[in-house]
Amino acid sequence: MLFNSYEFIFIFLPITFLIYFYLNYKNFIQLSKYFLLFSSLFFYSWWNIAYLPIMLSSILFNYIMGTILTRENTLFFKRRTILIFSIVINILLLGYFKYSDFFLENINFAFNTNIGLLHLALPLAISFFTFQQIAYLVSSYRQETRGYKFIDYSVFVTFFPQLIAGPIVHHKEMLPQFEDKNNRLLNYKNIALGLFMFSIGLFKKVIIADTFSGWATIGFDKAEYLNFLEAWITSLSYTFQLYFDFSGYTDMAIGLALLFNIVLPINFNSPYKAVSIQDFWRRWHITLSRFLRDHIYIPLGGNRDGNFRMYTNLMITFILGGIWHGAGWTFVLWGFLHGAALVTHRIWKQIGGNLPTWLAWFITFNFINISWVFFRATEWSSAIKVLSGMAGFNGLALPTAFATKLAFLAPYGVTFNEWLNNIDGKIIMFPWILVGFIIVLFFRNSSEMLNNFKLNYFSLIWASIAFLVSVLSLNKVSEFLYFNF
Amino acid sequence: MISEKKWIKLWIVMTILVPIIALLNYFIDPNGMNNKVIIDGINSSKKTNTGYSYRFKTNRLVDGKFDTLMLGTSRIGVMDPTVVDTYTNGNTFNLEAPASITEMHYKLFKYALKYNNIKNVVYGIDFMAFNGSRTLEKTFSQFNGLNNKIANGEKISNYDLYFNLDTTKSSFYVLYKNLTNQKIVAEKFLQNGMRVFNQYIDSLEKGTYSYDKRMEFTFHEYYNNFNGIYKNYNYSEEYLKYFSKIIQECKENNIKVWVYIPPMYNLHFDSLKSAGYYDEFEKFKRELVKITNYIDFTGHNTITNNSDNFWDSAHLRVKMTKLIMARIFNDKSADIPQDFGVLVTPENIETHLKNLRGQVKKFDLEKMLNYQNAL
């Protein structure tokens, strides 16, 4: 079930909310937890109930392993062996569903074989619940999870606001909240905050991201024909689509969780304001960065063993981060580019390099925008075609109206007709992109809005209109980008 | 500052506007999708329903009232089903899918079969329907959005159209126009699925209709570099299979089927040669006749040489339905020009194609495609 669907907004959410708090009001605490678990599983199964046994098996396995790991003494195997075994099983599960075909394709290519592909459907949210549970296993190994009941653990993993696309939450920040008696009662402030955040997130997704989405899709479909302006509109449209889509989803998740008195961690902090690539990764998909840092970068040695080792660790972390997003060489390259950019940034800082803020932002934003092209493109060649267009190799076309005034540009290959035809171009794209820049660079982000939230008519009207306009624009229900990852 | 409870209550009150607006949209029904409540001076004059072709047509089909189907692109869409009724003694539905490919024809045909006891099919098959460069996913987003439901034969609900900002704007527009006694002139599907070009009829009556401008515009629709119907024409064997399956399933279900290639204005026919598609155009006809005989109305003939018979280079006027159907149903009593419509069989296909090739005239497509003139 999508957050931006009628069945979720008008049926699932109100019913779940009312029954959950009614059960708590009647002091049926355990029942309310089971109800929340059931609701989350129903929410998950709405797409395809066939995925449910996979997720339930994963939950059961990790809970049992987590419980064993919290014991001082284990039979037969050392705790470290059990931890490694558990993590390997999780990675194998993820790898089987997500990377089998990618692996087989590469085997076929490298050894000229013809092994048939499996064409497995990727179980929804598997990347997210796998990471979340690996973190839990590590905590269990550190004896930090003792005493959690299976129902609590299951609610923590499946809690529907964060189940499908994060934020990737940690048991330390979630389970105590479910245990807190105060959170079992209606909290009007949290409800108001939750409605506010949900409305803003819905608006970001439905009105902003989906508008850019159409332009990005058409541009990448026509990659080989894109002229300079078309290619830049395409790449910027995707850059904005991705941000508004994913951060819109996160805002909705945060808002929904608040309705249940659960505070989810922030996941975005105005990432396109970043003035370095390091700054960017402190602002973009923060909970993923946190996971990669705690469970890959630091265990690899982090920055403890000298510069060369640190650079290697950064590269490994980001290449793995790239492939986590999808099974394809374009994702590997995207991760590699970001790893390389971080290494470059570290070296630059070590030699005392400094840039004016505007230039640092300009370089960072353009790097991110260009690297998203690899992230979005389905094939390497498609990415190169878009980038060729952005570099001007496919020429520049301008409106016919400029043909006379700018005629002196014609000898340089500038043409004056069909200037945005390949992307079904409309002049409205330019103000939209300008608005996109203004919002990401000069507006408060959602978490800042949440922190500064005031119960007044302004916030009420703003949230109501955002909700109203979004709900009335839902006729093209579209999935969130991060569902694919 | 207002209290938390008050903020929440007011937010809920504001959001109750959503179902109220949806109800308003349902009753005003600005695009004529349900036609449940029609009140003169309120909503009797409506906007077009052709923007929701597949919803409208599938909604009609589920009533199970039809025994004859007209299948194909908009070229058959502008033909009058009541004329077909006179030959089949049945109740005909025009299941035209605009600018479509055969995959869509097949899915719509199966959908119609599920809900109706179909006995006859009149299939106007077009060259454009075999262009493999046009796919459901990339070209027909509206159909693609309903693809699973149509393929599974599910009933298609329109409730999401009522929870819609564009529909809301349309409702207010329709309300305003009706309250101020202004008639809305728009292209429409009738309840039997026929497409009526009300806007052309209106401008013809007012004397403002320009065939040349419409024709130029149509040429642009077919040949423009962005999403022209013929762009990157690539004859699809896959699409031929869909056509073949329709014919086969008609046979299996004892459904009588009449196939024809609709007439196009003579310049449109000539343009296929100028665009370099004529070999593929002939291939399309050769492959078709391996599956079934058909009547071919293309080429230069008494009807296609007269622009008064067309709205543009691709669409006949409705009055021509009688001639087309008389030829298809072999009505001896009708006065049909001898050169209009040739029965094509495996025996005469090569002679027929040779004859047609001889009719092709030189045509300056580039000049026609000057978009500035079309506008």
Side-chain angles (χ1 to χ4, degrees):
Chain A
M1 204 177 294
L2 293 162
F3 291 167
N4 57 327
S5 64
Y6 301 112
E7 57 268 26
F8 177 82
I9 294 171
F10 293 113
I11 301 171
F12 176 85
L13 181 61
I15 290 174
T16 306
F17 176 83
L18 289 174
I19 294 179
Y20 175 75
F21 282 106
Y22 178 75
L23 291 172
N24 276 304
Y25 172 71
K26 289 287 180 185
N27 221 17
F28 297 131
I29 309 300
Q30 280 302 105
L31 194 57
S32 75
K33 286 182 186 173
Y34 280 103
F35 174 74
L36 195 55
L37 174 64
F38 169 78
S39 303
S40 296
L41 297 180
F42 178 84
F43 169 84
Y44 182 79
S45 306
W46 188 259
W47 277 280
N48 188 347
I49 199 163
Y51 298 151
L52 189 60
I54 298 165
M55 186 175 73
L56 289 176
S57 308
S58 170
I59 291 170
L60 187 61
F61 171 79
N62 285 300
Y63 179 73
I64 292 169
M65 288 305 173
T67 307
I68 294 170
L69 283 168
T70 54
R71 291 180 185 157
E72 297 287 344
N73 298 306
T74 52
L75 295 171
F76 308 117
F77 299 105
K78 289 181 179 172
R79 290 173 60 248
R80 189 175 174 82
T81 311
I82 295 171
L83 174 67
I84 292 168
F85 168 76
S86 311
I87 292 174
V88 167
I89 293 293
N90 274 288
I91 290 171
L92 282 177
L93 182 75
L94 180 62
Y96 175 69
F97 283 105
K98 193 163 179 174
Y99 303 107
S100 294
D101 281 354
F102 178 58
F103 179 72
L104 292 173
E105 278 169 0
N106 284 291
I107 293 284
N108 285 339
F109 178 76
F111 300 104
N112 204 21
T113 52
N114 196 20
I115 305 167
L117 303 183
L118 303 178
H119 297 297
L120 297 168
L122 181 68
L124 203 65
I126 191 168
S127 305
F128 288 88
F129 67 67
T130 301
F131 269 26
Q132 205 157 306
Q133 294 187 103
I134 287 174
Y136 177 81
L137 290 170
V138 173
S139 293
S140 298
Y141 175 73
R142 293 173 183 156
Q143 312 266 340
E144 295 167 358
T145 64
R146 198 183 295 266
Y148 291 141
K149 291 176 184 164
F150 181 63
I151 178 66
D152 295 325
Y153 176 76
S154 305
V155 170
F156 149 66
V157 177
T158 63
F159 184 47
F160 72 87
Q162 53 82 47
L163 172 61
I164 307 299
I168 300 171
V169 290
H170 199 275
H171 69 92
K172 279 184 198 167
E173 62 201 358
M174 293 296 285
L175 281 161
Q177 294 192 70
F178 286 114
E179 287 301 308
D180 189 339
K181 286 177 186 170
N182 292 325
N183 288 345
R184 293 173 193 152
L185 302 171
L186 281 175
N187 180 324
Y188 292 106
K189 186 173 183 196
N190 280 344
I191 294 171
L193 280 168
L195 293 174
F196 180 75
M197 281 298 275
F198 185 80
S199 303
I200 288 179
L202 191 64
F203 186 86
K204 282 164 82 171
K205 160 66 185 165
V206 176
I207 305 298
I208 306 180
D210 286 354
T211 300
F212 283 118
S213 156
W215 302 336
T217 302
I218 200 165
F220 276 93
D221 284 348
K222 307 272 177 186
E224 60 189 298
Y225 308 108
L226 303 179
N227 63 42
F228 181 79
L229 282 174
E230 290 169 338
W232 276 95
I233 287 172
T234 298
S235 72
L236 287 170
S237 293
Y238 184 67
T239 293
F240 289 133
Q241 179 203 351
L242 191 58
Y243 171 67
F244 286 111
D245 187 284
F246 194 17
S247 71
Y249 173 87
T250 308
D251 292 347
M252 281 189 260
I254 290 171
L256 291 166
L258 275 170
L259 296 179
F260 294 84
N261 298 320
I262 302 294
V263 179
L264 294 180
I266 68 160
N267 221 10
F268 292 91
N269 183 19
S270 303
Y272 293 152
K273 288 177 186 169
V275 291
S276 73
I277 192 67
Q278 188 178 43
D279 189 20
F280 174 76
W281 279 105
R282 286 175 180 157
R283 295 164 173 268
W284 177 273
H285 205 171
I286 295 166
T287 56
L288 174 68
S289 304
R290 181 176 71 176
F291 180 91
L292 294 175
R293 182 197 64 205
D294 293 347
H295 299 285
I296 299 178
Y297 179 68
I298 291 175
L300 283 171
N303 54 6
R304 296 191 298 272
D305 301 316
N307 284 341
F308 181 75
R309 187 63 191 272
M310 177 179 72
Y311 301 150
T312 310
N313 293 340
L314 275 172
M315 292 302 296
I316 293 170
T317 304
F318 274 86
I319 288 170
L320 289 175
I323 205 162
W324 176 83
H325 283 89
W329 286 108
T330 49
F331 287 107
V332 176
L333 180 66
W334 175 79
F336 175 85
L337 288 173
H338 275 262
L342 275 157
V343 169
T344 309
H345 174 73
R346 291 281 172 106
I347 295 169
W348 174 255
K349 282 289 164 196
Q350 281 164 1
I351 62 172
N354 204 6
L355 287 174
T357 307
W358 68 269
L359 184 59
W361 171 83
F362 184 78
I363 292 169
T364 307
F365 182 81
N366 277 288
F367 170 78
I368 292 160
N369 185 45
I370 288 167
S371 65
W372 284 141
V373 173
F374 291 100
F375 192 85
R376 169 63 175 78
T378 47
E379 291 168 6
W380 164 258
S381 58
S382 174
I384 295 301
K385 282 169 188 163
V386 174
L387 291 171
S388 299
M390 290 169 75
F393 292 138
N394 296 340
L396 168 65
L398 294 172
T400 319
F402 295 137
T404 315
K405 284 182 182 171
L406 301 178
F408 64 92
L409 292 174
Y412 302 102
V414 176
T415 55
F416 293 94
N417 60 347
E418 301 191 341
W419 64 307
L420 296 177
N421 266 22
N422 287 313
I423 54 171
D424 198 15
K426 296 177 183 69
I427 204 79
I428 192 79
M429 289 172 166
F430 292 98
W432 265 94
I433 286 174
L434 182 66
V435 167
F437 271 116
I438 290 171
I439 294 174
V440 300
L441 295 179
F442 301 108
F443 272 49
R444 280 179 180 167
N445 62 48
S446 311
S447 59
E448 289 166 339
M449 284 187 192
L450 193 65
N451 293 334
N452 292 292
F453 177 74
K454 288 189 176 64
L455 288 157
N456 55 28
Y457 287 107
F458 179 75
S459 65
L460 173 71
I461 290 168
W462 171 205
S464 308
I465 290 176
F467 181 82
L468 212 65
V469 171
S470 305
V471 166
L472 290 175
S473 304
L474 282 182
N475 61 329
K476 283 195 290 180
V477 175
S478 59
E479 289 195 353
F480 294 91
L481 285 178
Y482 258 70
F483 282 21
N484 301 320
F485 302 134
Chain B
M1 287 287 281
I2 50 180
S3 76
E4 291 144 357
K5 275 190 182 178
K6 190 175 180 185
W7 195 98
I8 295 164
K9 278 181 190 168
L10 288 172
W11 188 90
I12 292 169
V13 167
M14 290 283 280
T15 56
I16 285 173
L17 278 174
V18 173
I20 291 172
I21 289 170
L23 273 176
L24 175 84
N25 289 336
Y26 180 83
F27 288 116
I28 299 290
D29 183 28
N31 299 103
M33 296 299 287
N34 64 50
N35 293 301
K36 296 280 185 198
V37 181
I38 296 177
I39 303 169
D40 276 340
I42 299 291
N43 69 341
S44 55
S45 180
K46 294 173 188 287
K47 292 179 77 178
T48 183
N49 51 14
T50 58
Y52 302 102
S53 302
Y54 309 110
R55 286 172 183 267
F56 182 83
K57 300 224 164 178
T58 51
N59 285 177
R60 301 284 86 72
L61 285 170
V62 295
D63 294 339
K65 293 189 301 193
F66 303 102
D67 58 19
T68 301
L69 288 180
M70 295 166 79
L71 208 57
T73 65
S74 59
R75 298 189 212 209
I76 200 167
V78 292
M79 300 284 94
D80 184 355
T82 60
V83 175
V84 178
D85 290 345
T86 62
Y87 291 105
T88 61
N89 290 320
N91 193 10
T92 305
F93 185 74
N94 195 324
L95 189 50
E96 158 246 59
S100 48
I101 52 176
T102 54
E103 182 180 355
M104 294 154 75
H105 302 167
Y106 179 71
K107 288 176 177 170
L108 289 168
F109 167 72
K110 294 290 284 181
Y111 192 91
L113 246 53
K114 176 171 178 175
Y115 293 99
N116 299 269
N117 183 17
I118 300 296
K119 293 173 183 163
N120 309 292
V121 168
V122 179
Y123 195 170
I125 188 69
D126 271 306
F127 178 53
M128 71 167 92
F130 293 84
N131 184 358
S133 296
R134 302 166 77 235
T135 61
L136 271 192
E137 295 76 21
K138 289 191 175 174
T139 315
F140 301 97
S141 58
Q142 195 188 115
F143 190 97
N144 199 37
L146 301 169
N147 188 26
N148 287 340
K149 287 184 176 174
I150 292 173
N152 297 331
E154 292 173 31
K155 290 185 178 177
I156 295 170
S157 159
N158 292 324
Y159 79 95
D160 54 337
L161 290 184
Y162 305 121
F163 288 89
N164 183 295
L165 208 55
D166 289 334
T167 311
T168 309
K169 285 185 217 160
S170 295
S171 288
F172 284 109
Y173 174 81
V174 164
L175 206 54
Y176 168 75
K177 286 284 186 181
N178 279 271
L179 287 171
T180 54
N181 277 327
Q182 297 179 66
K183 194 181 172 196
I184 300 170
V185 179
E187 187 175 337
K188 268 179 196 164
F189 289 129
L190 302 182
Q191 292 299 306
N192 62 13
M194 176 186 156
R195 180 186 288 263
V196 183
F197 286 135
N198 284 323
Q199 76 280 31
Y200 298 162
I201 295 167
D202 186 66
S203 56
L204 196 67
E205 285 169 0
K206 288 177 181 164
T208 55
Y209 188 81
S210 164
Y211 176 79
D212 288 343
K213 280 201 171 179
R214 280 308 312 162
M215 181 177 65
E216 287 178 25
F217 190 83
T218 320
F219 269 106
H220 184 80
E221 283 187 325
Y222 278 83
Y223 288 105
N224 81 73
N225 278 330
F226 167 61
N227 58 359
I229 292 169
Y230 290 147
K231 186 168 186 262
N232 296 329
Y233 195 96
N234 164 30
Y235 183 81
S236 167
E237 300 289 343
E238 189 68 27
Y239 292 174
L240 184 67
K241 284 180 192 161
Y242 283 110
F243 175 80
S244 179
K245 277 162 77 174
I246 293 173
I247 303 300
Q248 186 60 34
E249 292 191 26
C250 282
K251 279 182 191 164
E252 288 167 7
N253 292 289
N254 294 319
I255 297 169
K256 289 181 190 167
V257 58
W258 292 266
V259 178
Y260 75 97
I261 301 175
M264 48 181 83
Y265 183 54
N266 57 20
L267 295 183
H268 193 117
F269 171 76
D270 296 335
S271 73
L272 292 170
K273 174 85 170 166
S274 314
Y277 296 145
Y278 202 81
D279 288 346
E280 306 232 75
F281 187 50
E282 288 188 333
K283 181 181 181 182
F284 148 70
K285 293 180 176 180
R286 281 195 183 94
E287 294 299 322
L288 221 53
V289 85
K290 290 177 189 170
I291 297 165
T292 181
N293 296 345
Y294 57 88
I295 309 272
D296 186 1
F297 290 101
T298 63
H300 284 253
N301 56 53
T302 310
I303 301 300
T304 59
N305 289 340
N306 183 356
S307 65
D308 285 345
N309 294 326
F310 291 84
W311 284 119
D312 51 43
S313 80
H315 299 100
L316 278 175
R317 297 194 188 182
V318 68
K319 65 186 180 187
M320 303 311 296
T321 313
K322 285 182 180 169
L323 279 186
I324 296 266
M325 295 306 153
R327 173 64 81 204
I328 289 170
F329 289 98
N330 199 20
D331 182 354
K332 303 286 186 196
S333 66
D335 185 18
I336 315 165
Q338 282 298 313
D339 59 352
F340 187 53
V342 174
L343 174 65
V344 182
T345 67
E347 288 74 34
N348 72 356
I349 176 79
E350 291 307 325
T351 316
H352 172 64
L353 292 180
K354 191 178 171 190
N355 179 28
L356 281 182
R357 195 172 266 267
Q359 294 175 16
V360 179
K361 291 180 180 163
K362 199 173 176 187
F363 173 68
D364 190 345
L365 182 60
E366 282 305 312
K367 189 179 171 190
M368 181 62 80
L369 288 179
N370 185 339
Y371 193 52
Q372 298 305 313
N373 291 342
L375 293 175

